[in-house]
C-alpha cells in the first residue's frame, strides 16, 4: 500500500502537473498549435540553463546529447581533455574515443571533482592549442561530487587557451546553480529525467556562439544530431522530424513549476535537503562515510554513502526495497557494492526527505550496521535550523 519511493538520482518523481500534461492528446507537429508550443518551450528552457542563446532539444536520453555535443564541435583526431570523476565521466570519454577523438583522460579517485589547477596545468602545457575541448561532468551522479565549473572556466582563462568547454549537467540542471553564459560554457548537455522532473526521453544542448562557430567546420560525421537543421526549423517553433510532442507538454508544465518556485529557491531547496541528508549520515556514524571528500564539492542533488568494508551496499538496498518499497541508487562500476546513493532532487520536499531517511535508517539497522538512531532526528534539526 502507499506509493513507491523512487529515490534514485534519476529518473526522479514526476509531479502530478507534469503527469497530467503528458496525458494530453498528441497533436499535428506541423500545425499552428504545435508551433506555438514549440516556441514557448524553446524560449522557456533558456533561463534554466542561464543562457540567452538557443537550446537544442533532442528526443533522446542524455547519452544522445553527449554525442551531439562532440560531433557538432570536433573533428576526427582532435585532442580532448577529460577527467575521471566517476562512472559518467568515464562513459563520456569512452564515447569520445569511439567517435575518433584522442582523449587525455586525467585519472581520479572518484571522491573529488575536476581539479581546476590540473585543468590549468594541462592547458598551459599545450601552447600549440592541440587540445580542442575540455569535457567536465558538473554533477558526477555516481559519486555525489559537484565540480566547480566557474573555477574551471577561470583556470582555462588564465592560460588563454582557446579550447571549448563542454559540460554535462544531466543531474544538476534545475537542481544546482548553473550558468551557461556567465561561466562561458560552450556546450551544456542535459536530460529530462532528473532535475527537470520529466520522464526519460528528452535531452538538451545549450550552445555558445563559439560552439556554433566551431560547428561550421567540425569534421566528425553527423546527421540526426546536426544542430543546423534543428536550429533552422526551431526558429519557427518546429522540428525537422517528429518531435516527442507529449514530453514537450510535460516540459512546459515543468518549466512552469520551476518559474513559479523561482530557480534561486529551487537551488536553495536542494542545498537544504542535501545538508539535512549529510546531517543524518554523520549522526548515523557506524562507519558510514560521504563518498565526496571535499566539502566544497558536496552534491545537492544526491548523496553517495560509502559503507564499511564488511557490509554490502547492494544488500542494504535490497532490504530497503523489499521491506519499505524504496529504490535507492546502486554503486556503479568501480564502487559497485560499496556505495549506495540517495537521490534528493526534482519534485522533493521536507516530508519526502524524512520518509526517505527513515527508510534508510531502518534498512541500515536491519542490515546489521552499528548505527546511531539519531540520524533522522539530526536531519529534522537541520531542517528546522534553516527552515525557509
Ligand atoms: C544520468 C546521467 C547520464 C546518462 O544519461 P542517460 O539519460 O541515461 O543517457 C549521463 N551523465 C550524468 C551526469 C548523468 O547523471
Amino acid at each position: 500500500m502507499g506509493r513507491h519511493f523512487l529515490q534514485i538520482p534519476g529518473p526522479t518523481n514526476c509531479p502530478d502537473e507534469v503527469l497530467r500534461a503528458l496525458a494530453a492528446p498528441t497533436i499535428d507537429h506541423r500545425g499552428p498549435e504545435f508551433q506555438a508550443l514549440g516556441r514557448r518551450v524553446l524560449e522557456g528552457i533558456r533561463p534554466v540553463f542561464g543562457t540567452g542563446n538557443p537550446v537544442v532539444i533532442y528526443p533522446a536520453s542524455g547519452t544522445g546529447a553527449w554525442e551531439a555535443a562532440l560531433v557538432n564541435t570536433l573533428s576526427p583526431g582532435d585532442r580532448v581533455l577529460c577527467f575521471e570523476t566517476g562512472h559518467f565521466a568515464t562513459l563520456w570519454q569512452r564515447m569520445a574515443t569511439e567517435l575518433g577523438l584522442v582523449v587525455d583522460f586525467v585519472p581520479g579517485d572518484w571522491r573529488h571533482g575536476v581539479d581546476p589547477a590540473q585543468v590549468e596545468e594541462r592547458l598551459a602545457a599545450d601552447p600549440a592549442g592541440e587540445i580542442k575541448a575540455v569535457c567536465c561532468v558538473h554533477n558526477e551522479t555516481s559519486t555525489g561530487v559537484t565540480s566547480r565549473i566557474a573555477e574551471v572556466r577561470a583556470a582555462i582563462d588564465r592560460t588563454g587557451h582557446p579550447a571549448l568547454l563542454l559540460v554535462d549537467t544531466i543531474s544538476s540542471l534545475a537542481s544546482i546553480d548553473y550558468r551557461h553564459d556567465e561561466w562561458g560554457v560552450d556546450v551544456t548537455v542535459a536530460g529530462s529525467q532528473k532535475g527537470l522532473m520529466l520522464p526519460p526521453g528528452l535531452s538538451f544542448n545549450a550552445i555558445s556562439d563559439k560552439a556554433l562557430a566551431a560547428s561550421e567546420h567540425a569534421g566528425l560525421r553527423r546527421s540526426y544530431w546536426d544542430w543546423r537543421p534543428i536550429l533552422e526549423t526551431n526558429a519557427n517553433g518546429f522540428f525537422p522530424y517528429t518531435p516527442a510532442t507529449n514530453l514537450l507538454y510535460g516540459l512546459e508544465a515543468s518549466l512552469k513549476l520551476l518559474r513559479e518556485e523561482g530557480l534561486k529557491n529551487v537551488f536553495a531547496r536542494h542545498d537544504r535537503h542535501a545538508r539535512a541528508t549529510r546531517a543524518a549520515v554523520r549522526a548515523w556514524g557506524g562507519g558510514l562515510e560521504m563518498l565526496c571528500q571535499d566539502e566544497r564539492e558536496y552534491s545537492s542533488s544526491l548523496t553517495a554513502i560509502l559503507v564499511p568494508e564488511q557490509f554490502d551496499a547492494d544488500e542494504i538496498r535490497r532490504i530497503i526495497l523489499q521491506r519499505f518499497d524504496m529504490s535507492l541508487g546502486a554503486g556503479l562500476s568501480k564502487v559497485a557494492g560499496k556505495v549506495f546513493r540517495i537521490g534528493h532532487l526534482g519534485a522533493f520536499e521536507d516530508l519526502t526527505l524524512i520518509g526517505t531517511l527513515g527508510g534508510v535508517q531502518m534498512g541500515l539497522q536491519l542490515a546489521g550496521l552499528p548505527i546511531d538512531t539519531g540520524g533522522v532526528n539530526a536531519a529534522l534539526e537541520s531542517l528546522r535550523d534553516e527552515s525557509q
Side-chain angles (χ1 to χ4, degrees):
M1 289 295 281
R3 74 168 179 85
H4 176 68
F5 266 61
L6 180 68
Q7 295 316 140
I8 59 177
T12 64
N13 296 290
C14 297
D16 292 347
E17 290 89 335
V18 168
L19 293 175
R20 278 196 294 270
L22 290 167
T26 307
I27 54 172
D28 171 14
H29 60 287
R30 309 215 189 269
E33 198 185 333
F34 182 89
Q35 182 176 36
L37 168 73
R39 286 192 164 130
R40 289 195 303 272
V41 293
L42 288 163
E43 193 58 39
I45 190 70
R46 296 183 190 195
V48 180
F49 286 85
T51 186
N53 270 19
V55 175
V56 164
I57 306 176
Y58 294 106
S61 88
T63 303
W66 266 349
E67 179 161 340
L70 298 173
V71 298
N72 276 287
T73 55
L74 298 164
S75 299
D78 277 356
R79 272 176 67 194
V80 298
L81 184 59
C82 299
F83 295 85
E84 190 202 353
T85 49
H87 178 68
F88 291 102
T90 303
L91 292 181
W92 199 13
Q93 70 81 33
R94 186 180 306 160
M95 171 189 273
T97 305
E98 285 167 358
L99 289 170
L101 300 165
V102 179
V103 179
D104 295 354
F105 196 38
V106 180
D109 66 358
W110 289 46
R111 303 192 74 167
H112 294 85
V114 177
D115 178 1
Q118 281 196 343
V119 174
E120 188 168 353
E121 192 181 303
R122 295 281 178 143
L123 292 183
D126 176 40
E130 281 177 18
I131 296 172
K132 299 300 179 197
V134 177
C135 300
C136 299
V137 174
H138 180 217
N139 186 66
E140 194 26 279
T141 322
S142 60
T143 62
V145 176
T146 305
S147 287
R148 291 161 284 148
I149 300 301
E151 292 180 38
V152 169
R153 174 78 259 168
I156 298 173
D157 289 347
R158 279 195 295 275
T159 65
H161 197 288
L164 296 166
L165 176 57
L166 313 184
V167 180
D168 168 347
T169 66
I170 296 178
S171 63
S172 52
L173 192 86
S175 306
I176 300 173
D177 188 13
Y178 184 79
R179 308 168 190 200
H180 176 87
D181 287 357
E182 191 182 320
W183 294 347
V185 179
D186 292 298
V187 186
T188 298
V189 174
S192 56
Q193 75 272 29
K194 299 183 188 181
L196 287 175
M197 309 174 285
L198 294 167
L202 291 181
S203 57
F204 307 85
N205 276 179
I207 305 164
S208 74
D209 291 337
K210 186 174 162 188
L212 201 58
S215 74
E216 298 292 322
H217 48 82
L220 283 175
R221 290 288 184 88
R222 58 190 184 275
S223 169
Y224 186 72
W225 303 116
D226 195 353
W227 290 337
R228 193 192 318 227
I230 301 174
L231 291 172
E232 276 169 15
T233 46
N234 278 179
N236 294 315
F238 293 118
F239 288 77
Y241 44 69
T242 314
T245 305
N246 291 54
L247 286 172
L248 297 177
Y249 296 154
L251 177 60
E252 182 165 48
S254 120
L255 292 174
K256 181 162 181 275
L257 290 171
L258 292 170
R259 232 178 4 250
E260 283 169 356
E261 185 175 358
L263 273 181
K264 261 195 188 149
N265 299 325
V266 171
F267 301 147
R269 169 166 58 83
H270 284 79
D271 292 342
R272 180 168 167 272
H273 288 148
R275 281 191 293 267
T277 303
R278 294 195 294 272
V281 175
R282 291 196 186 97
W284 283 325
L288 297 173
E289 270 181 63
M290 247 73 76
L291 186 60
C292 177
Q293 282 189 318
D294 184 334
E295 56 186 53
R296 292 171 302 176
E297 298 177 333
Y298 283 140
S299 169
S300 286
S301 49
L302 76 140
T303 301
I305 300 162
L306 189 60
V307 307
E309 242 171 49
Q310 64 274 31
F311 293 95
D312 176 358
D314 289 337
E315 175 63 10
I316 297 169
R317 286 191 318 107
R318 193 190 61 76
I319 291 171
I320 291 172
L321 178 61
Q322 204 166 56
R323 294 290 294 266
F324 309 115
D325 194 25
M326 175 160 69
S327 297
L328 297 172
L332 298 171
S333 52
K334 275 193 185 175
V335 291
K338 299 176 179 162
V339 160
F340 70 91
R341 298 172 298 147
I342 302 174
H344 34 73
L345 74 162
F348 192 80
E349 78 308 271
D350 288 8
L351 296 188
T352 315
L353 175 73
I354 294 309
T356 299
L357 295 176
V360 173
Q361 181 167 309
M362 290 190 286
L364 290 169
Q365 283 187 293
L366 286 169
L369 272 88
I371 57 157
D372 185 306
T373 53
V376 172
N377 255 327
L380 286 169
E381 276 166 30
S382 168
L383 289 179
R384 188 201 56 205
D385 289 348
E386 38 175 318
S387 53
Q388 284 178 317

